Amino acid sequence: VDELVFFINRVLISGTVLGCIYALGAIGVTLIFGILRFAHFAHGDMMTMGAFLAFVLAGAATALGIVTPLPTGFVVLPIAMVLAAGIALYLDKGFYAPLRRRGAKPVTLLIASIGVTLMLQGLIRLIFGSGTTSFFQTEPKEIFRIDVSALGATRPISITEPQVLMFIVTAILVLALHYFLTRSRLGKAMRAMADNADLAQVSGINTALVVRVTWLIAGALACVAGTMLALDVALMPDLAFNIVLPIFAAAIVGGLGHVYGAILGGFLIAFAETLAVFNWTALLRPMAGVLPEGWALPPNLALVPTEYKLTVAFVILVITLLARPTGIFKGASS
Amino acid sequence: MSAVSGVREAFWDDPVKRAIALFIAMFVLIAITGVLQGGASILLISTQATAFALIALGLNIQWGYGGLFNFAVMGFLMAGGASTVFLSYPVNPAFWDSDGPMLLARALAAFLVGLGIVMLARRVDRIGIRGGVRTTLIVLAWLAAYILYRSQIDPAAAYIESTAGFVGGLGLNPLIGWAFGGLIAGLIALFIGRVSLGLRTDYLAIATIGMSEILRALIKNMDWLTRGTMTVSPVPWPMPLPQNLQQTGMSIPDSFLYARGGFLAIALLVLIVIFVMVQRAYGSPWGRMMRAIRDNHIAAGSMGKNVTGRQLELFIFGSILMGIGGAMLVSFSQIFDPSGYQPINHTFMIWVMVIVGGAGNNFGVVLGAFLIYFVWVLSDPLAQLIFLNLSQVTSSLGWGAIPEIDSRALQMRVFVLGVVITLALRYAPKGLLPEVIRRER
């Protein structure tokens, strides 16, 4: 049973956490691609920016003496989401909308998003320096230990408080998004426009409004994803830059333009990464007695060395693009 | 008044005059920097800018001529750099005297056997196995090949790393190393292109950036080949180093001027030779065909042009230039540090050079490369100057000085690069020197 606990701690929990982050990021990428037809490379930096917004707000809350039982990072999250959504809206107004009005090709918008990436990254590093900070400098990171000794395990299942909150927040956001897309008029308009933008416009859908809502949702979700990543690991300026490619991988595996595909893709990539670097010897150890004479378990039976963890996402991405470029669900093409 | 603006407009619309004016402006910028920062420093920046101009020409072949969205520039630079290190670094006798070469040969054999298994599995449809069974077989073959290769390479890598450090080099002339860098980059481009050129724009961009990250992870972690994060230095120069010149009795400032000047001369020579070739190719029927494919690949295809094949050609040619440029950069800085490669410095900056200079116009791209590299380098001291002044203001107001000015000012370069590309896309989407399409009248 110890082996199972180890598996849960190392794969199930960390995979789910990573999956939540990837899924929330990939939803934004996929929505923007569905509506505006370009790969938004600045999404990773929108995540970092959201995390830093939450960080500043959390610092302000602590300075004001607001103490809550929850980690401050989560308490300020709604405000940070609103701010990040607003910034996303203005990024569109300032950098993408003028190009769209000129009738620029999607490729130009993609290059413009590289420009936005560079500017955001430069600004974040100018303001916050390039060092590493943490949300948990003033408050402790609570760890829940679920005792499973009744089942014969010697080690407990351990999960941190932010991780539990992450699962809850992600579930709420995904459900809310699901109801928004299927039940509300605006959500249906969004899906219509993702399907066929010209048809949506002639049937009287306010496309400008749909574009605005897309940026609001994408910005808010990016902020949540970035903050979660910062809460789980640490806060640094190049945090999300490393993660923007796995997010693209998730969105493409799920089929660009498909919200549910993005969620699925996010978890798929996250679990593929954690399973690939997981050392299977730990799980197979009880079988050592069963093995025939002369067979020994190698000390490390991980599929790929830990250094190549991020590479797993790219390999999956490349295979998907080659074998089924439209993703699991049939995605939009550019 | 209107006459003056009319004259000015006519002046700007003439591509030749515009190019001459902008190139003069560029040389003035270089000269001013030279006066301010000193000769050795300007030679350093110019040499690096020359290498970047070569790389930007490579991207111009891919994006400007062919409309191929290559975000893997960094990967090709790394490949070129690693190859030149392997060829020009002094021989490591500890490796050649050990069992290392034997183990590596076995790993290579395992690799080839694995490749053979995969190839065979792909051909099983010849003996009537099709559909899902064939796919399963191919996947199993890949798995078997992977396990076979890992079972040989892992002990070999561990052995080499513990006994000899890394394989070392072959001790050949760095100029051969540059050519070899281009060759390796071209081979990698052949593979990447074969795999991904069927994809369009956004998908191609994401696929190539993913592959360059895979390449980076490989080069960074293959310690037995590249020493990984421990870095390799000093990589030899194709001509005497400043230290060599000092041994002959030259003063230190003079030795830097002459050594770097010599390197710059060779780099410029390479750039000019390749520039002439690339420019002639652009004007030739081959270049016309490439533009036709770029502007309408469907029409070009229906005229009997082999679209994918031609695009692969462009992709390889461009990548060779990137490999040579990357090799040049490593030779010049004398150190190969895989963790020093970042998508911002080595992929996106090249893109900014090409877009700002003018995609499709070789003169524009060279201009853009020099201009952007100078802006990139000069942003740092300028930002430091601004911050120091601001810091004085804030401390005189009693708010305290700005902390960590050095590391922050360095980040200003990234921000400035972003502003430049945004302004260029907004106000000069075709670049400073737009592509000139000559028409017969």
Side-chain angles (χ1 to χ4, degrees):
Chain A
V1 185
D2 262 348
E3 286 75 23
L4 200 67
V5 170
F6 184 68
F7 182 76
I8 292 176
N9 280 342
R10 293 296 291 276
V11 173
L12 217 56
I13 292 177
S14 61
T16 317
V17 169
L18 204 58
C20 289
I21 295 163
Y22 284 176
L24 289 180
I27 291 174
V29 166
T30 222
L31 276 178
I32 294 173
F33 192 90
I35 304 288
L36 299 168
R37 304 277 150 174
F38 78 101
H40 187 229
F41 263 93
H43 212 74
D45 293 281
M46 269 167 56
M47 284 170 63
T48 324
M49 187 193 63
F52 273 102
L53 279 177
F55 180 71
V56 169
L57 287 173
T62 317
L64 288 173
I66 301 169
V67 180
T68 49
L70 297 172
T72 328
F74 275 99
V75 178
V76 296
L77 197 51
I79 312 172
M81 277 168 76
V82 172
L83 286 178
I87 293 176
L89 202 60
Y90 275 95
L91 281 182
D92 179 55
K93 266 223 176 88
F95 299 109
Y96 303 127
L99 294 179
R100 275 204 305 276
R101 230 175 286 131
R102 203 180 65 203
K105 280 188 272 181
V107 181
T108 315
L109 285 171
L110 178 83
I111 300 171
S113 83
I114 297 289
V116 173
T117 303
L118 297 176
M119 278 196 282
L120 280 181
Q121 196 156 44
L123 266 188
I124 290 170
R125 290 193 185 174
L126 270 180
I127 298 170
F128 297 99
S130 44
T132 306
T133 44
S134 167
F135 273 93
F136 296 97
Q137 277 163 339
T138 53
E139 49 184 1
K141 200 175 193 171
E142 254 184 82
I143 301 178
F144 299 127
R145 291 197 170 79
I146 305 166
D147 194 21
V148 281
S149 54
L151 295 169
T154 51
R155 273 179 291 175
I157 296 175
S158 52
I159 181 166
T160 64
E161 191 186 7
Q163 288 177 334
V164 177
L165 287 170
M166 267 175 223
F167 301 153
I168 299 171
V169 170
T170 309
I172 293 173
L173 286 174
V174 168
L175 273 180
L177 188 68
H178 169 72
Y179 281 111
F180 171 74
L181 286 177
T182 49
R183 301 294 157 86
S184 76
R185 254 188 101 72
L186 204 55
K188 284 178 189 165
M190 265 176 86
R191 287 196 299 158
M193 192 169 160
D195 239 22
N196 187 334
D198 294 332
L199 190 60
Q201 193 159 23
V202 262
S203 32
I205 288 171
N206 184 349
T207 47
L209 181 67
V210 171
V211 169
R212 278 205 292 278
V213 172
T214 309
W215 282 106
L216 287 177
I217 295 175
L221 291 184
C223 171
V224 179
T227 312
M228 281 184 178
L229 192 61
L231 281 166
D232 193 42
V233 195
L235 189 56
M236 39 188 166
D238 42 8
L239 182 81
F241 199 67
N242 294 324
I243 225 150
V244 70
L245 287 170
I247 282 177
F248 268 106
I252 287 184
V253 167
L256 271 177
H258 272 272
V259 174
Y260 305 110
I263 299 168
L264 198 69
F267 281 97
L268 205 85
I269 298 274
F271 275 105
E273 276 184 13
T274 40
L275 283 174
V277 297
F278 180 69
N279 184 2
W280 291 94
T281 306
L283 202 62
L284 297 173
R285 203 162 287 141
M287 281 169 50
V290 196
L291 284 174
E293 202 62 31
W295 282 53
L297 280 172
N300 192 346
L301 208 63
L303 203 56
V304 294
T306 323
E307 307 94 86
Y308 293 107
K309 186 179 178 189
L310 276 178
T311 318
V312 174
F314 307 139
V315 172
I316 296 177
L317 168 73
V318 171
I319 293 174
T320 311
L321 283 175
L322 297 183
R324 199 179 160 85
T326 46
I328 299 172
F329 298 101
K330 229 177 158 44
S333 65
S334 62
Chain B
M1 190 69 196
S2 67
V4 172
S5 74
V7 168
R8 198 191 290 148
E9 232 144 66
F11 180 77
W12 276 116
D13 281 343
D14 182 359
V16 177
K17 283 179 185 160
R18 188 167 168 161
I20 292 170
L22 284 170
F23 265 94
I24 289 172
M26 184 188 87
F27 281 120
V28 169
L29 176 74
I30 296 176
I32 291 173
T33 323
V35 170
L36 289 178
Q37 296 212 337
S41 166
I42 193 67
L43 284 175
L44 172 95
I45 307 176
S46 302
T47 312
Q48 283 168 338
T50 308
F52 275 110
L54 198 59
I55 298 160
L57 270 183
L59 183 62
N60 189 37
I61 293 184
Q62 294 173 344
W63 170 242
Y65 289 15
L68 298 174
F69 222 97
N70 179 12
F71 265 8
V73 181
M74 181 188 73
F76 293 121
L77 297 195
M78 284 187 87
S83 323
T84 193
V85 167
F86 177 68
L87 226 72
S88 64
Y89 197 73
V91 177
N92 180 5
F95 165 72
W96 293 103
D97 293 341
S98 71
D99 290 340
M102 254 302 290
L103 287 170
L104 275 187
R106 273 169 55 187
L108 182 67
F111 180 78
L112 292 177
V113 170
L115 202 68
I117 297 176
V118 173
M119 287 309 212
L120 280 180
R122 287 173 68 92
R123 293 286 180 82
V124 289
D125 52 341
R126 295 279 181 88
I127 54 167
I129 302 173
R130 286 210 167 79
V133 184
R134 175 171 176 260
T135 316
T136 321
L137 270 179
I138 292 175
V139 171
L140 283 177
W142 272 104
L143 205 65
Y146 177 70
I147 291 171
L148 189 66
Y149 175 64
R150 278 286 301 275
S151 72
Q152 293 303 318
I153 192 71
D154 281 6
Y159 175 81
I160 294 170
E161 278 159 33
S162 64
T163 55
F166 79 124
V167 297
L170 298 179
L172 296 174
N173 190 315
L175 288 178
I176 307 174
W178 295 359
F180 186 62
L183 180 75
I184 293 290
L187 283 178
I188 294 174
L190 173 68
F191 174 74
I192 294 184
R194 281 290 284 275
V195 163
S196 58
L197 278 185
L199 302 165
R200 294 267 155 245
T201 53
D202 297 47
Y203 285 91
L204 184 60
I206 296 165
T208 46
I209 202 170
M211 289 195 202
S212 92
E213 289 294 320
I214 294 175
L215 210 57
R216 172 160 74 151
L218 283 175
I219 293 178
K220 203 169 170 177
N221 291 311
M222 288 206 294
D223 286 9
W224 58 274
L225 182 62
T226 62
R227 254 165 81 94
T229 44
M230 285 180 292
T231 73
V232 186
S233 72
V235 181
W237 270 25
M239 64 277 304
L241 282 165
Q243 290 88 311
N244 303 135
L245 290 179
Q246 281 162 34
Q247 278 161 7
T248 62
M250 201 178 267
S251 73
I252 291 175
D254 275 356
S255 71
F256 271 95
L257 275 183
Y258 281 105
R260 284 180 178 168
F263 199 111
L264 177 63
I266 290 196
L268 275 177
L269 189 70
V270 174
L271 177 68
I272 290 169
V273 168
I274 290 181
F275 183 90
V276 170
M277 276 160 39
V278 167
Q279 182 66 19
R280 284 187 62 89
Y282 181 79
S284 70
W286 181 84
R288 221 158 43 221
M289 172 175 65
M290 292 307 173
R291 288 197 295 284
I293 291 175
R294 173 193 67 191
D295 292 338
N296 192 339
H297 65 95
I298 298 169
S302 66
M303 296 292 285
K305 305 296 178 206
N306 179 359
V307 172
T308 349
R310 294 301 173 180
Q311 285 183 336
L312 188 61
E313 225 171 81
L314 279 181
F315 198 72
I316 293 172
F317 285 163
S319 302
I320 290 175
L321 297 195
M322 289 174 190
I324 297 175
M328 221 183 246
L329 281 176
V330 169
S331 279
F332 184 66
S333 63
Q334 289 210 286
I335 180 167
F336 180 67
D337 176 15
S339 30
Y341 286 86
Q342 296 294 333
I344 289 184
N345 310 10
H346 295 100
T347 297
F348 298 151
M349 188 164 78
I350 319 287
W351 269 92
V352 177
M353 288 169 176
V354 171
I355 302 278
V356 169
N361 186 329
N362 291 320
F363 288 100
V365 168
V366 171
L367 175 80
F370 274 87
L371 218 56
I372 294 297
Y373 195 70
F374 270 81
V375 167
W376 169 260
V377 173
L378 294 183
S379 301
D380 179 23
L382 280 180
Q384 250 179 43
L385 207 66
I386 295 170
F387 274 135
L388 283 174
N389 284 323
L390 262 184
S391 192
Q392 271 174 3
V393 173
T394 50
S395 35
S396 70
L397 286 173
W399 294 345
I402 300 175
E404 303 174 61
I405 288 181
D406 281 358
S407 75
R408 278 164 205 254
L410 209 58
Q411 302 307 330
M412 194 62 155
R413 306 186 300 183
V414 179
F415 179 71
V416 170
L417 203 60
V419 171
V420 168
I421 179 82
T422 308
L423 289 178
L425 283 178
R426 187 78 166 269
Y427 299 108
K430 287 185 174 160
L432 290 173
L433 295 177
E435 187 182 7
V436 186
I437 295 168
R438 216 178 284 156
R439 285 197 180 79
E440 305 299 328
R441 285 163 207 264

